[in-house]
Amino acid sequence: MGQTLGPEVDMEIFAVANQKGGCGKTTTACNLAAALALNGKKTLLIDLDPQAHASMGLGVEKDIGIYDCLSKISKNKCSLKDIIVNIGPNFDLAPSNIMLSTIDQELSDEIGRESRLQDILKDFQGAYDFCLIDCPPNLGLLTVNAIRAAHQMIIPVEASRFSVDGVQRLVEIVDLIRDRLGHKVSYRVLVNNFDSRLRHSFNVLNQIKETFGSKVFNTIVHINVKIKESQSEAKTIFAFDKYSRGAKDYFSLSREIISGEGALMEKITAAMKKIVKKKTRELLPVEFQFTGSANDSVYVVGEFNNWSLDDRSRLTKDNGIWKTQVSLKPGNYKYRFVVDGKWTEDPSNPISEKNPFGELDSILMVSDEA
Ligand SMILES: Nc1ncnc2c1ncn2[C@@H]1O[C@H](COP(=O)(O)OP(=O)(O)O)[C@@H](O)[C@H]1O
Ligand SMILES: [Mg+2]
């Protein structure tokens, strides 16, 4: 089950929102949902965009959809469970269609119109570990409903076209919902479309980190043409090419979310942090060496770095040997190498375990005994 965030809540609800079109909301909602499902988490994706890109991107076109659950006058009026389509193991979709574009006007005089989605989801508390909501590209009633229903928002921003103002406007809406409706939502920023060939990308990344600090996910989603190709074939990136950069990035993001580091840290008060620090055992230096052959790059990613592929997880070549040092607490850690862009287990480590893709995660055992 997902981490419990409130007294009556056992499903973690994320709204993927940004009023800007084309920043990667739908891409993130679909592929993150798929990645969470691959991790064995029961996941519901709600397509809350009348353009129905998430539904189409998963090959689902239906006459009944989320509109018929939110509306009070639809001739197909039904409940959420009636519209759910199974996409794959642990992965369900509540699809959308063009009818949803009428809901804003239809509910304009309704009391509690901002809470329609939240009301619907109440009956589903125990059914899923995670629920992701793909929002439309505006700050209208549907996005407000998503924020109202969610515990957290994921705000994808494009590394190339980032504007602080755009995100700030969205955060203002979140504050408004908190003040008017007493509903508090936290948010995290996801950097998408990152092009590591451009110096400009790194400048923008620094700017985003300076502005949003720890709210920025460690995982960055790189620009990857396989993502576009997967959508045109109505598949998730995992079904299309599980070895692609896009698959790696969304899998890392799912691990980062499941480990819940960000949300948990926010909750631990300063006092608690001190106690935790005192109790934590000492960090031990660990060296990773990759003994196979590599032409260009080797990364080590695993449970100790939230499976994130970034500069800190990169190995350097020293006297012909790829290596890096990290500091870890005693314990067991699953990890894999990414060699020239391909996942591989550690050829020199005989201890391993199968992961959800049927591949092997190597296991590192760190012990404080000499
Ligand atoms: N990381 C990425 N690499 C390559 N193309 C991407 C990436 N993220 C999004 N795209 C493409 O950008 C376009 C807009 O993305 P989409 O997720 O539909 O944005 P939104 O839902 O915010 O409007 C789509 O064509 C999608 O395939
Ligand atoms: Mg979209």
Side-chain angles (χ1 to χ4, degrees):
M1 279 289 115
Q3 176 199 342
T4 303
L5 291 186
E8 82 287 14
V9 181
D10 54 5
M11 166 170 72
E12 252 185 285
I13 305 174
F14 290 85
V16 186
N18 187 338
Q19 67 275 29
K20 203 162 170 182
C23 60
K25 289 180 289 297
T26 302
T27 303
T28 297
C30 293
N31 291 311
L32 177 58
L36 290 166
L38 274 170
N39 278 283
K41 302 288 178 188
K42 283 214 75 176
T43 305
L44 173 66
L45 169 63
I46 298 179
D47 186 352
L48 206 63
D49 185 352
Q51 296 176 95
H53 288 160
S55 309
M56 289 188 304
L58 294 168
V60 175
E61 281 181 53
K62 293 270 179 192
D63 290 337
I64 63 162
I66 191 73
Y67 165 74
D68 303 294
C69 310
L70 295 169
S71 165
K72 289 189 170 166
I73 58 167
S74 160
K75 63 180 186 337
N76 299 320
K77 174 128 199 62
C78 59
S79 72
L80 186 56
K81 70 174 180 349
D82 300 324
I83 65 158
I84 283 176
V85 181
N86 178 249
I87 303 295
N90 301 314
F91 186 5
D92 283 351
L93 168 75
S96 171
N97 56 42
I98 187 69
M99 281 308 293
L100 192 59
S101 57
T102 61
I103 198 85
D104 227 312
Q105 192 154 27
E106 185 188 313
L107 294 181
S108 64
D109 296 328
E110 286 274 337
I111 294 172
R113 60 184 180 276
E114 306 89 354
S115 310
R116 294 285 297 148
L117 185 62
Q118 187 188 37
D119 294 343
I120 290 172
L121 285 173
K122 274 197 181 122
D123 296 339
F124 271 73
Q125 287 308 345
Y128 295 94
D129 297 307
F130 289 100
C131 170
L132 301 187
I133 307 167
D134 183 26
C135 293
N138 57 55
L139 294 174
L141 182 63
L142 287 167
T143 299
V144 170
N145 261 271
I147 299 173
R148 177 78 175 103
H151 304 113
Q152 262 206 57
M153 286 209 310
I154 297 175
I155 307 176
V157 297
E158 262 191 296
S160 55
R161 298 190 299 151
F162 170 71
S163 92
V164 177
D165 291 354
V167 179
Q168 223 71 55
R169 267 193 69 206
L170 185 55
V171 173
E172 278 165 24
I173 300 281
V174 172
D175 290 343
L176 200 72
I177 290 175
R178 182 195 59 211
D179 297 342
R180 292 248 185 97
L181 305 170
H183 175 70
K184 235 180 137 176
V185 201
S186 56
Y187 70 90
R188 304 282 307 271
V189 172
L190 175 68
V191 177
N192 181 29
N193 255 318
F194 189 82
D195 189 342
S196 52
R197 293 164 303 187
L198 306 178
R199 183 192 290 259
H200 173 69
S201 310
F202 290 91
N203 295 340
V204 176
L205 180 63
N206 282 339
Q207 192 197 344
I208 295 172
K209 284 187 172 162
E210 270 165 30
T211 315
F212 297 105
S214 63
K215 294 204 174 295
V216 184
F217 280 110
N218 290 328
T219 306
I220 287 169
V221 180
H222 295 77
I223 192 158
N224 181 216
V225 69
K226 300 272 182 189
I227 288 182
K228 263 191 204 301
E229 290 170 7
S230 69
Q231 287 162 339
S232 57
E233 286 202 14
K235 286 180 176 162
T236 69
I237 190 67
F238 301 98
F240 182 75
D241 182 352
K242 66 180 178 184
Y243 297 110
S244 63
R245 183 90 206 227
K248 260 175 260 160
D249 289 344
Y250 278 110
F251 197 68
S252 293
L253 181 63
S254 71
R255 295 281 182 132
E256 193 175 344
I257 284 177
I258 290 168
S259 72
E261 190 189 54
L264 270 178
M265 286 313 276
E266 268 177 43
K267 281 188 188 163
I268 300 176
T269 60
M272 273 295 282
K273 269 192 208 164
K274 269 189 203 156
I275 298 167
V276 172
K277 212 173 180 180
K278 235 186 201 167
K279 286 196 173 169
T280 349
R281 283 191 282 172
E282 257 185 45
L283 291 170
L284 299 167
V286 174
E287 184 170 88
F288 282 97
Q289 283 196 6
F290 177 69
T291 52
S293 65
N295 293 322
D296 191 30
S297 64
V298 181
Y299 293 83
V300 60
V301 290
E303 288 176 324
F304 56 88
N305 62 6
N306 279 328
W307 299 89
S308 46
L309 197 78
D310 55 30
D311 284 344
R312 283 169 301 177
S313 54
R314 195 172 178 141
L315 275 65
T316 47
K317 207 169 183 179
D318 184 5
N319 273 332
I321 299 173
W322 294 90
K323 53 170 87 160
T324 188
Q325 280 232 352
V326 293
S327 301
L328 298 177
K329 282 180 236 158
N332 294 346
Y333 300 90
K334 289 185 195 160
Y335 69 98
R336 306 197 81 203
F337 286 119
V338 180
V339 180
D340 297 336
K342 288 211 160 60
W343 288 97
T344 172
E345 63 261 23
D346 184 348
S348 63
N349 184 352
I351 308 167
S352 58
E353 193 182 296
K354 262 204 172 158
N355 69 20
F357 298 116
E359 301 157 345
L360 295 177
D361 286 340
S362 300
I363 297 178
L364 170 74
M365 295 173 181
V366 181
S367 156
D368 49 4
E369 280 143 39

